[in-house]
Amino acid sequence: MKNALFSAVFFFSLISALQPGFAQITANTKIIWDDFNYTGWSDTAFLHFGWRARTGTAGTPGNGNGWSENNITFIKDALDTTNMLMRFSSYTNGQTGATSTVQTQADRQPRECVFGTYAARIKFNNAAFSGTNVQADQIITTFYIFGSLEGDGVQIPGWSYPYCTNCQNYSEIDFEYGPHGAWGGSTQALYNFTHSGTSYTSQDPQIGTTTPGDFSGWKTYWVTVTAQGATYHVDNQQTANHSTAKLNTKMSLNFNLWFNAIGSGGSKRTYVQDIDWVFYAESTNLTLAQINTQIADLRAKSRKRFEGTIGLLTKINYHYPQRAIAKDFPVIFRSDHEIEFPVSGASMQKVTLLDPSGKMASTLPVVQGRAVLHSQPFHRGIYLVLWKNGGGQKVKKVVLP
């Protein structure tokens, strides 16, 4: 009986290991981990790890209202004062406009994630943190993974990423909670959307699952992505299984807190979302218990943030890749095949990039305030960025780490 039981367990384990997309963490598994231990949105460590706070008024979501980096703060965890949380605070006074309704978003700029396990521990809230709670304020509080790259490269105005209108690949994975309802409905619910289409504008095909209920309080939101689709969970509850989704575009980690609709009038009210940590393990299909084990191990090793393989966790001198920062010209190396230059100025028409050897890598037209180059491999080294703005030419040295 013992041998038969062993054989059955071994056979089941073998079958599980051979399932497409099924894998466990090894020393060679690449992970991304952030415990959100920063002093503020402008903390150099926050920026070097690839995070950017959204600002401005253009674009969607948010119906043309404002976005502010000042809505992102880092606070001590009331349940554990040794732990820090990232807090989003979005507010409205019942009027639309750049200063009347101001929302919050943080994007991790590198797009380098496809298959694997994604997780974040988040506290969603059902009512306003300050001011009068207005049921007609349809606040959308989220954790989402996004990516679009190849195609015509035409940007949609105001977006923080260079979306394209005719992408060969477009992928998005959403946890979106509407405590006051959303998209015209009044039912409190969690929405899981998976986009895996060829065009952002059509978002085709889009798969959506609505799970009515109260999702306030601290919970772990996690999703496993394989070639067979995406499976969503909140703690131990499976909320969606989008088995027909074919995600194949590199994606990034993102959070936002925005208004789908606003109750008219009234005084200022603020809604908050707290984020404890975010985690990604490439090419894995983990359980919640396995995720929690990894988080406990990372914290036991005092890793505030980490990007690399598991085997490097024991290397005291290992440092995660730092993203390029240039305050007056914030060049963003999104991946080995994509680079973005957010620029401004009425006279700005083109940007010239010189590679480390001094040769011209490309001349980029400026469209909608950004010059974007992709589908070309970039090598480590010093790049010179030349641009004309106003009366003359300027040069900025940028290091690709």
Side-chain angles (χ1 to χ4, degrees):
M1 176 65 71
K2 183 182 293 184
N3 289 338
L5 178 61
F6 173 81
S7 298
V9 171
F10 176 79
F11 177 76
F12 176 78
S13 300
L14 179 62
I15 294 299
S16 297
L18 293 176
Q19 288 180 8
F22 187 95
Q24 299 304 320
I25 281 189
T26 70
N28 294 322
T29 299
K30 178 184 176 180
I31 65 169
I32 298 172
W33 152 256
D34 202 333
D35 207 8
F36 293 116
N37 196 315
Y38 300 102
T39 59
W41 66 266
S42 61
D43 188 330
T44 301
F46 185 70
L47 300 174
H48 270 310
F49 203 59
W51 293 103
R52 297 294 184 272
R54 185 173 177 178
T55 187
T57 58
T60 56
N63 304 313
N65 294 304
W67 301 85
S68 176
E69 64 271 278
N70 294 320
N71 287 358
I72 299 176
T73 56
F74 294 87
I75 63 171
K76 287 187 177 181
D77 185 347
L79 302 177
D80 178 3
T81 56
T82 65
N83 185 42
M84 298 293 292
L85 308 172
M86 179 166 66
R87 169 164 288 181
F88 286 5
S89 301
S90 297
Y91 59 87
T92 183
N93 62 10
Q95 305 293 324
T96 59
T99 58
S100 297
T101 297
V102 184
Q103 304 154 123
T104 318
Q105 180 170 313
D107 310 319
R108 190 168 187 270
Q109 300 289 355
R111 287 202 298 266
E112 51 198 355
C113 312
V114 187
F115 301 135
T117 303
Y118 302 78
R121 184 170 182 263
I122 310 170
K123 182 182 180 183
F124 293 148
N125 297 283
N126 290 338
F129 179 76
S130 63
T132 302
N133 185 62
V134 177
Q135 193 65 25
D137 290 340
Q138 291 197 335
I139 193 77
I140 308 297
T141 183
T142 80
F143 166 43
Y144 68 102
I145 303 106
F146 166 82
S148 73
L149 178 59
E150 301 159 356
D152 56 18
V154 176
Q155 294 172 269
I156 295 176
W159 286 79
S160 56
Y161 284 102
Y163 295 106
C164 54
T165 57
N166 186 28
C167 300
Q168 295 174 15
N169 294 304
Y170 171 81
S171 297
E172 184 174 345
I173 297 168
D174 296 332
F175 288 96
E176 298 188 288
Y177 179 48
H180 296 168
W183 296 285
S186 58
T187 302
Q188 185 181 69
L190 177 73
Y191 302 86
N192 293 129
F193 296 111
T194 306
H195 307 278
S196 57
T198 57
S199 170
Y200 169 74
T201 52
S202 66
Q203 296 188 350
D204 180 35
Q206 171 182 302
I207 306 169
T209 301
T210 301
T211 306
D214 183 353
F215 287 85
S216 62
W218 282 109
K219 301 181 187 302
T220 299
Y221 295 81
W222 57 288
V223 57
T224 54
V225 179
T226 71
Q228 285 68 49
T231 304
Y232 296 79
H233 296 82
V234 180
D235 289 337
N236 287 309
Q237 176 187 359
Q238 180 177 306
T239 56
N241 181 18
H242 296 168
S243 59
T244 60
K246 304 301 179 185
L247 296 147
N248 59 2
T249 304
K250 289 186 177 182
M251 297 177 286
S252 64
L253 306 171
N254 311 270
F255 302 89
N256 63 18
L257 181 60
W258 58 281
F259 290 89
N260 178 246
I262 301 167
S264 61
S267 57
K268 178 181 176 181
R269 55 268 188 188
T270 300
Y271 299 84
V272 304
Q273 166 182 333
D274 292 334
I275 304 156
D276 188 5
W277 50 258
V278 68
F279 174 80
Y280 167 70
E282 186 176 66
S283 300
T284 63
N285 191 349
L286 304 181
T287 65
L288 179 60
Q290 291 168 329
I291 293 169
N292 289 335
T293 296
Q294 293 303 316
I295 304 310
D297 184 61
L298 286 159
R299 284 182 160 171
K301 290 182 169 63
S302 300
R303 289 289 188 176
K304 297 178 181 178
R305 61 199 67 92
F306 182 84
E307 179 181 358
T309 62
I310 288 288
L312 292 173
L313 278 171
T314 58
K315 305 294 184 182
I316 297 176
N317 295 324
Y318 172 77
H319 296 282
Y320 57 83
Q322 293 192 351
R323 309 298 166 183
I325 301 174
K327 292 183 178 179
D328 55 337
F329 194 81
V331 178
I332 301 167
F333 292 91
R334 297 193 182 282
S335 70
D336 289 341
H337 288 79
E338 186 180 7
I339 189 170
E340 177 185 328
F341 310 93
V343 296
S344 61
S347 62
M348 184 79 75
Q349 295 181 348
K350 67 179 182 179
V351 171
T352 301
L353 176 68
L354 302 182
D355 69 14
S357 66
K359 298 179 181 179
M360 185 175 72
S362 186
T363 298
L364 313 176
V366 175
V367 180
Q368 299 292 347
R370 286 181 172 84
V372 180
L373 177 65
H374 55 71
S375 297
Q376 174 176 334
F378 295 98
H379 305 286
R380 297 175 182 273
I382 297 175
Y383 285 77
L384 292 179
V385 182
L386 292 76
W387 74 100
K388 290 185 177 181
N389 192 0
Q393 179 170 277
K394 297 184 178 181
V395 179
K396 179 67 183 179
K397 181 188 294 185
V398 179
V399 178
L400 174 57

